Amino acid sequence: MSTTSYAGRTAIVTGAGSGIGAALARRLRACGAKVVTTDVAGDVDRLMDVRDLAGCRALVAEIGVPDLLFANAGVSMGGPTHELSRAHWDHVIDVNLNGVVNALLAVYPGMVERGSGHIVATASGAGLVAPPFVTAYAATKHAVVGLALGLRPEAALHGVKVSVLCPGAVETPILDRLPDQQLPPTPTRPVTAREYLSLLGQKPVDVDRFAHSALQAVGRNRAIIAVPAQARTLWYLNRLSPSVTDRIATAIARRVDRRLVQRLAS
């Protein structure tokens, strides 16, 4: 199924103020879809916090049950796990996992009643193969993958499709974003995703190219959509030989700790 199949369809995209969400919305509109974008800030149709279930339900009550839901809102958190407080964990879980659950609760029952729809949850390549020093982030993204894969066969009984996006390194503002300033500071300045990727020699792909590839895979109703190829390769390698990816992760942990974490702590 090509991206032209989105013409005339309605979609909600959360976390669309920038990055992947904004690129998905642009691409959907270019394909003729009617899109409602939400975020806590930015140039969106509705300012909304996905942590607020009542707000999610109010939006759907106002505009109706969409054909497509892109539950995309998320935050990153990088640094030594032993320095994270309960507040840090709660923040990541509330946005990355509970935000997806809230969007699901607002939309899925209506899709079941109607007998059609497609839910696309944004996880991460870190939700398929967990890298070190992003433990809270990886934990929530694994949970989103599990949610989507568990729901997919059940939802199919009602004519509803479910997919999960697992992006690798994509050029978005989240790469440079530090944790919310309202969170308690940690002894070591948190590691940004860009610093992490730069140390590993990974170059992010263009966000619009990602959105184009992702929507093509959504149109084909793929269960797990790992883009770009680097994310897909690592996922395949982990399935083939978990011991190999474990050794790779251990080597990465040593390198990040020695050349990045210890420097930021000094």
Side-chain angles (χ1 to χ4, degrees):
M1 186 183 298
S2 70
T3 52
T4 57
S5 62
Y6 294 107
R9 302 179 75 186
T10 58
I12 293 175
V13 183
T14 70
S18 64
I20 287 174
L24 288 171
R26 285 194 299 269
R27 186 63 189 169
L28 284 164
R29 283 171 173 153
C31 293
K34 301 174 183 178
V35 184
V36 175
T37 55
T38 80
D39 210 323
V40 293
D43 184 15
V44 291
D45 299 309
R46 174 70 68 92
L47 292 176
M48 187 187 79
D49 192 332
V50 292
R51 295 174 295 179
D52 176 17
L53 175 57
C56 294
R57 283 178 165 159
L59 174 64
V60 175
E62 178 184 330
I63 69 171
V65 178
D67 297 309
L68 298 131
L69 165 67
F70 288 84
N72 172 77
V75 295
S76 64
M77 182 75 67
T81 304
H82 66 275
E83 294 183 359
L84 300 183
S85 68
R86 182 72 232 191
H88 293 102
W89 279 92
D90 285 345
H91 180 65
V92 178
I93 292 170
D94 281 348
V95 178
N96 291 359
L97 179 56
N98 291 338
V100 173
V101 172
N102 286 341
L104 180 75
L105 288 171
V107 168
Y108 180 57
M111 288 184 172
V112 169
E113 182 178 356
R114 187 179 60 205
S116 66
H118 199 151
I119 293 169
V120 184
T122 300
S124 168
L128 299 173
V129 184
F133 289 103
V134 287
T135 307
Y137 177 81
T140 58
K141 295 305 185 178
H142 269 74
V144 171
V145 171
L147 183 158
L149 295 184
L151 180 61
R152 182 178 168 88
E154 179 186 340
L157 300 175
H158 305 285
V160 179
K161 302 171 184 176
V162 180
S163 301
V164 60
L165 293 181
C166 296
V170 180
E171 185 58 57
T172 70
I174 201 172
L175 297 182
D176 302 300
R177 198 166 291 155
L178 291 170
D180 193 308
Q181 293 184 352
Q182 295 182 353
L183 292 172
T186 55
T188 303
R189 199 265 283 164
V191 176
T192 68
R194 190 177 301 280
E195 290 169 327
Y196 195 105
L197 293 171
S198 178
L199 182 63
L200 301 181
Q202 294 185 21
K203 184 178 179 180
V205 300
D206 178 74
V207 69
D208 289 304
R209 285 179 54 198
F210 166 84
H212 176 72
S213 298
L215 288 180
Q216 284 188 321
V218 170
R220 292 191 291 269
N221 190 29
R222 294 285 176 82
I224 298 176
I225 301 167
V227 180
Q230 188 176 52
R232 194 160 51 249
T233 299
L234 189 58
W235 173 39
Y236 290 163
L237 177 61
N238 189 59
R239 293 162 64 191
L240 179 67
S241 180
S243 62
V244 171
T245 52
D246 179 61
R247 289 196 294 272
I248 292 172
T250 300
I252 289 173
R254 292 196 183 102
R255 187 175 184 185
V256 172
D257 183 58
R258 183 177 65 253
R259 297 180 57 182
L260 189 56
V261 174
Q262 292 185 27
R263 177 176 63 81
L264 293 173
S266 62

